[in-house]
Amino acid sequence: MTSDDFLATDSSAARVYDWLLGGSNNTAADRALGERFVAAQPQARMIARMNRAFLRRSVLYMVQRGIRQFLDIGSGIPTVGNVHEIAHRADPDIRVLYVDKEHVAVAHSQLLLTGEPGTDILLGDLAHPVEILGSSQARKILDLSEPIGLLMLGVLHFVPEAQRPYAALASYRDRLAPGSHLAISHLAADMMPTQQAGMATVMNESRDPMYLRDRADVLRFFDGFDLVEPGLVCAPQWRPESPVPGDPTLSGIWAGVAELR
């Protein structure tokens, strides 16, 4: 069986993101939606790259802080430069559980993760923490008595208020061990508002509608955690490895990492 067996006729946010990053796990429908996405927000490809770069820096930071297991929710398709590749360069024994609610993304991931030690993929929805943390995959990969790196990058802006995302975050927090870390990136309503709103309008016509939030609303997701320096900032400003050129708000993303004391 190959990834071609899982191609879908409709578009999905996970595969559009893969296309924005230059990946090949996408369909003609995804590419068509992606082109509309870029027309509405010309910075879209750069936004995707900035988010990916933040993923790398946040994972490395957590590894340096002693995190040896990760739960990546809304992982999409784990192609080049994803969590297990970054973490395993530092310690091949680090364990990673990916979670996504899209069947096609999970199917692709199962193929790509074949033979990868200490990794698994779970079909699950961020809004149901008890089901995710109580799953057989979570019991196999994760030890909830030890600190976990919880990653929610580029996913919360697909969760409407009706699904109570803040309550879901609190439920994850209450089940994590002290020393756990939380990383969040979220598309911003208060950066490039016209372009961001146009991008959301495009996605709202797809099966993955988008819910932009401003900095104050994104900050609420960290309730009960202690933000590490430099706090909740534009994605390229979070612990950059080199000077940040240009206007950081062109990243269109709020990003931060916090620790559970």
Side-chain angles (χ1 to χ4, degrees), residues 69-73 97 99 132-133 142 148-151 172:
Q69 52 182 348
F70 288 87
L71 175 59
D72 183 3
I73 301 182
L97 177 61
V99 181
I132 288 175
L133 294 175
L142 304 176
I148 287 175
L150 176 57
L151 308 173
Y172 286 106

Side-chain angles (χ1 to χ4, degrees), residues 126-202:
L126 179 153
H128 302 294
V130 175
E131 294 178 13
I132 288 175
L133 294 175
S135 67
S136 60
Q137 292 95 325
R139 291 196 299 271
K140 180 180 72 173
I141 297 291
L142 304 176
D143 179 355
L144 295 182
S145 70
E146 296 292 330
I148 287 175
L150 176 57
L151 308 173
M152 295 189 179
L153 275 61
V155 63
L156 284 163
H157 47 246
F158 293 109
V159 184
E161 296 302 310
Q163 291 187 8
R164 304 181 66 230
Y166 295 104
L169 259 294
S171 184
Y172 286 106
R173 180 197 66 214
D174 292 346
R175 288 168 169 79
L176 297 180
S180 294
H181 284 65
L182 168 66
I184 290 174
S185 64
H186 196 297
L187 286 170
D190 45 353
M191 300 184 206
M192 300 177 288
T194 301
Q195 295 93 328
Q196 297 283 85
M199 178 177 62
T201 297
V202 170

Side-chain angles (χ1 to χ4, degrees), residues 76-100:
I77 300 169
T79 51
V80 174
N82 220 293
V83 177
H84 68 277
E85 293 184 330
I86 298 165
H88 284 173
R89 290 190 189 103
D91 183 346
D93 293 329
I94 288 175
R95 305 182 305 282
V96 181
L97 177 61
Y98 294 103
V99 181
D100 204 277

Side-chain angles (χ1 to χ4, degrees), residues 194-213:
T194 301
Q195 295 93 328
Q196 297 283 85
M199 178 177 62
T201 297
V202 170
M203 290 305 298
N204 291 347
E205 297 171 6
S206 75
R207 71 179 185 183
D208 294 309
M210 187 175 282
Y211 307 89
L212 303 180
R213 296 180 174 92

